[in-house]
Amino acid sequence: MTSESTTDKPFRIEKRQVYEAYKAVKANHGAAGVDGQTLEMFEKDLAVNLYKVWNRMSSGTYFPPPVRAVSIPKKTGGERVLGVPTVSDRIAQMVVKQMIEPDLDSLFLPDSYGYRPGKSALDAVGVTRQRCWKYDWVLEFDIKGLFDNLPHDLLLKAVRKHVACKWALLYIERWLAAPMEKNGEVVERTRGTPQGGVVSPILSNLFMHYAFDLWMTRTHPDLPWCRYADDGLVHCRNEQQAEALKAELGARLVACGLQMHPTKTKIVYCKDQRRRGEYPNVVFDFLGYQFRPRRVANTQRDEFFCGYTPAASPTAMKSMRATIKSLNIPRQTPGTLAEIAQQLNPLLRGWIAYYGRYSRSALSTLADYVNRKLRAWIMRKFKRFQSHKTRASLFVRKLARENPGLFVHRKAFGTNTFA
């Protein structure tokens, strides 16, 4: 597909824009939509398929197919329903996203971190860590089913205010109205934007920019806040202030057609010194980290103190162990240790990079779990190590010492990892 464009189309969309959108979709991978077409199948006739997307979008005749409903388990229990668009629809959505994102993102406030270029969840964790040292109380809030419940009228009011591109606006309206196919049944939608859609994150950010971010800045300019999609925190000076804010925010969300999650929203005492009195909540989880009082080392004075700091949450640790367990390493006896390392290292590298940013030592139990799986593999593979855990551990340590780069968690946690 060339980068040339024609002048006989009502909408001027460059073919290069469609190709760039395809490359972004390819990098994100993704499952097949309602048509069953995978990315690999789409690429077998890439030029023709991209031309179809461009031709329909530039002529105004592109109508999105239903999104496929896929239920995935939540780490905290229950299920989340994702709406998976077709490959062609993901590319079309990416064309619009890349068109509107520069202008919309420039509107958003610094403490909105979710789904934004140049910002990350770790940035949000870092700023929360600093603020917990300065403020004794935090309101942790969660919006119940944000993506599923966004009111179309209010959302489109914001979109029309800031999106000048006529064809981008047209297709956003069509995507919001696109039905969902669940278990073979097509279900019409009157609210929400499917979680899993390419344009959904930026649309939800635009809605929350007005529903929470600007409202918070206008009504409580003295209270720092942080939001990542539907999860947010507001730091308060005392419990009474946090209670009042909780009531105000609940009413604000209702006015915007949303609802504060009744069980995931709570007020937390987060003073880093010794607590006076008893408080029901002194711990909160945010973006995979758990914030709570911990024993922290002062390396300059060679002493310890009680600090309110983040580390990988128990839920995140459980999820990581479950992922490792699913590899069934002890039964991969026909393979080699190097082949197991190829499976483990990308996972470990990602976890260490994210959960090791703060309180890396908390991941040592994960390293121990990996080592137990490797020891079990050794004991099953070689008869001489059966019923000899210590010898098996020493053998794994010997192999790792001979090849220091074999497992990334050994490098991350020191030479005693395989002890």
Side-chain angles (χ1 to χ4, degrees):
M1 194 170 90
T2 67
S3 61
E4 297 177 359
S5 61
T6 62
T7 58
D8 61 345
K9 303 289 186 181
F11 299 132
R12 183 178 178 84
I13 301 175
E14 301 290 341
K15 292 179 179 177
R16 173 60 60 181
Q17 291 175 264
V18 178
Y19 184 69
E20 293 298 326
Y22 151 72
K23 291 196 296 184
V25 168
K26 180 179 175 66
N28 293 334
H29 305 290
V34 294
D35 60 357
Q37 185 183 52
T38 63
L39 187 61
E40 292 74 18
M41 295 165 64
F42 183 90
E43 290 175 330
K44 289 182 179 179
D45 202 356
L46 181 61
V48 171
N49 287 328
L50 290 180
Y51 178 84
K52 289 179 180 178
V53 175
W54 169 80
N55 186 52
R56 292 169 183 169
M57 291 190 73
S58 59
S59 64
T61 61
Y62 181 81
F63 288 89
V67 294
R68 180 169 67 93
V70 177
S71 298
I72 60 172
K74 293 182 179 180
K75 292 181 179 179
T76 55
E79 289 186 339
R80 174 183 288 111
V81 178
L82 299 184
V84 181
T86 63
V87 175
S88 294
D89 200 40
R90 290 206 297 275
I91 294 172
Q93 290 192 39
M94 186 64 74
V95 172
V96 172
K97 175 180 180 289
Q98 293 179 341
M99 166 63 71
I100 67 176
E101 186 171 58
D103 290 337
L104 292 186
D105 193 74
S106 65
L107 298 171
F108 300 154
L109 302 184
D111 279 315
S112 170
Y113 289 90
Y115 312 118
R116 296 184 60 189
K119 288 183 174 289
S120 70
L122 283 175
D123 294 333
V125 173
V127 74
T128 298
R129 174 173 172 262
Q130 294 175 1
R131 290 169 178 170
C132 282
W133 296 340
K134 301 176 182 179
Y135 292 81
D136 292 351
W137 295 85
V138 63
L139 169 64
E140 176 195 8
F141 69 91
D142 179 275
I143 300 172
K144 187 175 181 180
L146 172 63
F147 285 89
D148 296 332
N149 293 298
L150 290 175
H152 287 176
D153 56 343
L154 294 179
L155 175 57
L156 285 173
K157 183 179 179 181
V159 171
R160 289 168 183 148
K161 179 178 180 179
H162 296 289
V163 176
C165 178
K166 292 183 178 179
W167 56 264
L169 179 58
L170 171 67
Y171 292 127
I172 289 172
E173 292 174 344
R174 289 181 182 176
W175 279 312
L176 290 178
M180 179 175 288
E181 184 178 294
K182 187 174 184 180
N183 300 323
E185 180 183 357
V186 176
V187 180
E188 298 296 327
R189 295 187 305 107
T190 58
R191 300 174 66 86
T193 176
Q195 188 169 359
V198 175
V199 297
S200 295
I202 194 167
L203 293 180
S204 67
N205 263 342
L206 178 60
F207 189 92
M208 291 304 299
H209 174 70
Y210 283 100
F212 174 77
D213 302 356
L214 288 181
W215 174 83
M216 191 69 204
T217 303
R218 183 177 65 253
T219 59
H220 297 280
D222 57 329
L223 299 183
W225 56 270
C226 169
R227 184 180 62 80
Y228 195 98
D230 55 352
D231 293 325
L233 305 168
V234 182
H235 298 267
C236 301
R237 296 180 181 84
N238 54 60
E239 187 176 14
Q240 293 73 24
Q241 189 178 52
E243 289 284 2
L245 178 61
K246 181 181 177 182
E248 285 184 57
L249 179 55
R252 170 62 179 178
L253 292 176
V254 169
C256 294
L258 300 175
Q259 181 183 355
M260 186 181 288
H261 199 291
T263 59
K264 294 182 179 180
T265 299
K266 60 182 180 180
I267 294 172
V268 182
Y269 182 75
C270 55
K271 195 170 179 63
D272 56 0
Q273 299 175 357
R274 179 173 295 180
R275 301 192 305 277
R276 295 180 179 179
E278 295 296 328
Y279 299 96
N281 298 316
V282 295
V283 174
F284 70 90
D285 288 2
F286 185 52
L287 301 176
Y289 275 84
Q290 184 172 90
F291 288 74
R292 65 174 176 82
R294 300 178 193 275
R295 190 167 179 259
V296 181
N298 186 329
T299 55
Q300 295 180 344
R301 297 184 178 182
D302 194 26
E303 61 183 17
F304 291 89
F305 65 96
C306 180
Y308 199 88
T309 58
S313 71
T315 301
M317 295 293 292
K318 181 179 178 180
S319 177
M320 287 184 275
R321 287 194 298 268
T323 300
I324 293 172
K325 183 178 180 180
S326 69
L327 298 177
N328 211 359
I329 290 172
R331 294 190 176 276
Q332 295 190 33
T333 50
T336 65
L337 203 60
E339 290 172 342
I340 293 175
Q342 288 179 348
Q343 298 176 59
L344 281 173
N345 282 343
L347 297 171
L348 296 173
R349 192 176 291 113
W351 291 333
I352 292 169
Y354 186 80
Y355 295 106
R357 175 72 66 87
Y358 304 103
S359 305
R360 175 175 287 199
S361 60
L363 293 179
S364 60
T365 57
L366 180 67
D368 292 339
Y369 184 77
V370 173
N371 294 339
R372 291 198 297 272
K373 293 298 181 182
L374 295 175
R375 182 181 64 195
W377 177 82
I378 289 288
M379 294 173 66
R380 288 181 66 93
K381 186 175 180 68
F382 302 107
K383 291 183 178 180
R384 68 181 184 275
F385 292 116
Q386 292 179 1
S387 303
H388 294 284
K389 290 184 179 180
T390 301
R391 288 176 57 191
S393 295
L394 292 174
F395 183 69
V396 175
R397 185 178 183 184
K398 175 177 177 293
L399 293 177
R401 186 169 58 247
E402 293 173 351
N403 187 354
L406 186 61
F407 288 100
V408 297
H409 68 297
R410 181 175 188 266
K411 181 179 179 180
F413 295 100
T415 56
N416 293 327
T417 298
F418 287 94

